[in-house]
Amino acid sequence: MNYIMSKVQAEYGYTDYQIKLIKFSLTAIFYEVSKLLIFMVYFFATGKILEFFFALVPMLPLRIKTGGFHCKSYWSCFLVSFVYFYSVINVFPMIINVHPLAIYPVLLVCAIVDYMIGPTSLKEKAALNNKDIVHKAKIQSFQVVFFVAVLIFVFQDTRYLIVSFWTVVLHTIQLSITKILKEVKRNEKLA
């Protein structure tokens, strides 16, 4: 990789900082794609590939738009992500039976909480200082949750959508925990 980056830098005149950003981006993409492929193989082998996709589709835009908890290493991220998917696919739908009419108020609360808290991360990001970007991300996260609610309303007999419901709920919970941890971290710095 270093050889390729050296060639790219020499060819296009990138600075060392730009090369570091490119390497970081490529590594992050590789890590995310590798995790998704491993998860796809696992859930395919267990006969839960459709449930996996019903968890992945709302999780990706929510995660991209509102952020949340980030791990420091590949393996801790892999483990947390696996537990996340396993929980919304195999645990929550089996142990917690949600009345169909309770789904909509819960999703409304999730949409409001996501809007109020997001975007957030334990790491500081320069883009979070841009009010237009933050407002747009808040609206888009609200729309994702609203879209899940509409799908559940229209396709009430689809058992897979309960996975999307639990994905939204778990995302909102981890987003809330991230916000609390961020506040504690900030208060510790002030003390």
Side-chain angles (χ1 to χ4, degrees), residues 54-72:
F54 274 83
L56 184 65
V57 168
M59 192 267 309
L60 284 178
L62 286 174
R63 191 86 170 130
I64 290 167
K65 295 301 174 187
T66 59
F69 182 76
H70 293 280
C71 298
K72 293 183 180 183

Side-chain angles (χ1 to χ4, degrees), residues 95-106:
I95 65 171
I96 303 172
N97 189 13
V98 181
H99 190 279
L101 293 178
I103 288 174
Y104 306 109
V106 170

